[in-house]
Amino acid sequence: MKPTIPALFALSLAAGVAMAETPAFMTSMDVDKDGFLTLAELEEYRSQVFKTFDTNGDGVLDSAEYTEFDKARAAAAEQTGAPLQLRAVHGLARERTDLNLDGRVTREEFREALTQWFNTHDKTKDGVLGHGDF
């Protein structure tokens, strides 16, 4: 099953990189509606993204599945032209998420890459992301 167009658009947002440009997106992921995103909130959203592209349900994004993920991020970035979304095209490249370099991205690697991204962008080191963190 191929991801739908709304799922493709959501992908670049799933990276969490469009928050400063897309307040509605930040609001939709902000489960407790406090104006900030926690790692737990982002992990939940990213797990849904992973599930969308793990079409065979084996807990791993193989080369073909990751290629579809790459295409979806690129299409979403092209559609909006938002600078942070454009950065997501490269920021979520396989070499950044395939942490053991075996050519496959496990659910755990996907989560760990998000944790690293979150920690890098949490400029205030307060455990939440807000507009000031970008």
Side-chain angles (χ1 to χ4, degrees):
M1 177 176 96
K2 292 210 176 217
T4 64
I5 294 300
L8 297 177
F9 181 74
L11 272 179
S12 67
L13 302 178
V17 296
M19 286 181 260
E21 297 162 336
T22 313
F25 164 71
M26 186 171 170
T27 300
S28 70
M29 288 184 53
D30 182 11
V31 175
D32 61 7
K33 306 300 180 206
D34 65 355
F36 299 95
L37 294 178
T38 64
L39 181 57
E41 288 170 321
L42 290 171
E43 283 177 335
E44 175 59 31
Y45 193 76
R46 279 287 286 276
S47 73
Q48 294 305 313
V49 170
F50 188 93
K51 186 177 179 180
T52 297
F53 287 90
D54 181 17
T55 56
N56 63 6
D58 67 353
V60 174
L61 296 181
D62 60 31
S63 184
E65 291 166 333
Y66 213 94
T67 295
E68 290 303 313
F69 181 50
D70 289 338
K71 288 178 185 177
R73 289 191 326 279
E78 184 177 322
Q79 181 178 1
T80 67
L84 291 174
Q85 287 180 304
L86 293 168
R87 285 190 358 219
V89 173
H90 300 290
L92 286 170
R94 262 176 264 221
E95 61 267 14
R96 294 180 190 258
T97 55
D98 181 9
L99 302 178
N100 66 1
L101 303 175
D102 68 351
R104 302 165 16 120
V105 177
T106 64
R107 188 177 300 276
E108 178 60 28
E109 285 174 311
F110 206 65
R111 189 196 59 74
E112 180 59 30
L114 174 63
T115 300
Q116 290 174 11
W117 179 89
F118 183 90
N119 290 336
T120 298
H121 287 81
D122 182 10
K123 305 286 188 219
T124 58
K125 303 301 179 201
D126 58 0
V128 296
L129 295 180
H131 294 293
D133 288 309
F134 294 96

